[in-house]
Amino acid sequence: MKNIFVLACSLAIFASCADKNKETEKTEETIQTPADSLPKTDSVAVAPVEATQTPEVDTKTAAKGDEVIEVTPAKEIKVEYASFGDKILADKALSKEQMFQKYKSMKKGDTIAVKFKSKINSVCKKKGCWMKMELPGQAESFVRFKDYGFFVPLNADSQEAIVSGRAFVDEISVAELKHYAKDGGKSQEEIDKITQPKITYAFQADGVLISK
């Protein structure tokens, strides 16, 4: 009888342990929930941010409010000339700088046929029978007219002129220099200071053009 009682108690204890094990397993199953069973959250797609591009500005037009400005080339100014002596053309005339280089390469007795353009510094105030034309620096070309066949206006000072003829290096005597000084309106005091002959850049013109 005693053995039966012990056996019954053992069975009861075993059954009680088995129930506890089952409850423990259920608890572990509840805690260890698979990842797939977790509630899903909505994912938000974030669009990539594009770099802001500043449009290029055309500075040529933006400065004027995108207004297109047409530039008209400057027209060439046509100079009108009065003609004296033989008829000559205004084209292909040397500049005063080019003419001066010609003179510098010449010696007394040399003569060249040439045409050049420069400003008239002074004119004979009696008859207009000679004029002095500007060369670089303080140099001048002393221009006379072939066979005194024509003269130029007495008020042609500072006008632009083109002369065609013969250029040469000449020596002007003291008497001639005083004569030209008197014709040029120089004072007697200035004339008396002329005591030496002068080497000059001479020119005998057969045709002259003077700007109007």
Side-chain angles (χ1 to χ4, degrees):
M1 187 69 178
K2 186 178 181 180
N3 291 333
I4 294 172
F5 177 77
V6 172
L7 179 60
C9 289
S10 298
L11 290 173
I13 293 171
F14 178 80
S16 177
C17 290
D19 290 339
K20 288 182 179 181
N21 288 337
K22 288 181 180 179
E23 289 178 2
T24 302
E25 288 177 358
K26 288 181 179 179
T27 303
E28 289 177 354
E29 288 178 359
T30 302
I31 295 173
Q32 296 178 2
T33 305
D36 293 338
S37 64
L38 290 174
K40 295 183 179 181
T41 58
D42 295 334
S43 60
V44 179
V46 180
V49 179
E50 294 182 2
T52 303
Q53 294 182 354
T54 304
E56 295 184 0
V57 179
D58 187 350
T59 56
K60 293 182 181 178
T61 57
K64 295 295 182 181
D66 293 337
E67 178 184 358
V68 178
I69 301 175
E70 294 184 2
V71 179
T72 303
K75 293 183 179 179
E76 184 178 351
I77 299 175
K78 185 177 181 180
V79 180
E80 294 187 0
Y81 294 93
S83 179
F84 303 88
D86 294 345
K87 301 296 181 182
I88 63 172
L89 299 176
D91 63 342
K92 299 180 181 179
L94 299 181
S95 65
K96 65 180 182 181
E97 290 80 12
Q98 291 171 320
M99 189 66 239
F100 189 54
Q101 291 302 316
K102 293 281 187 184
Y103 274 126
K104 296 291 285 184
S105 66
M106 298 168 65
K107 60 183 183 296
K108 187 175 179 180
D110 293 343
T111 301
I112 59 171
V114 69
K115 177 169 61 175
F116 83 99
K117 176 171 64 176
S118 187
K119 185 185 78 172
I120 300 173
N121 280 344
S122 59
V123 176
C124 171
K125 298 305 178 185
K126 285 191 174 181
K127 295 187 295 184
C129 59
W130 55 262
M131 62 185 183
K132 293 179 180 180
M133 294 184 65
E134 184 179 77
L135 293 174
Q138 300 298 316
E140 293 179 313
S141 176
F142 187 76
V143 181
R144 288 174 284 190
F145 311 115
K146 185 179 180 180
D147 300 327
Y148 284 89
F150 63 94
F151 305 109
V152 296
L154 305 185
N155 62 348
D157 306 65
S158 300
Q159 295 295 102
E160 180 182 271
I162 298 173
V163 293
S164 178
R166 294 187 310 110
F168 55 98
V169 176
D170 192 18
E171 182 179 292
I172 303 177
S173 66
V174 173
E176 286 180 295
L177 288 172
K178 288 188 175 184
H179 172 72
Y180 294 137
K182 185 177 180 179
D183 287 349
K186 301 294 184 182
S187 66
Q188 188 60 47
E189 182 181 359
E190 291 175 300
I191 294 172
D192 291 340
K193 290 180 180 179
I194 301 173
T195 58
Q196 297 291 329
K198 182 180 179 180
I199 300 295
T200 185
Y201 301 127
F203 199 97
Q204 185 181 76
D206 48 41
V208 176
L209 296 175
I210 298 178
S211 61
K212 294 182 179 180

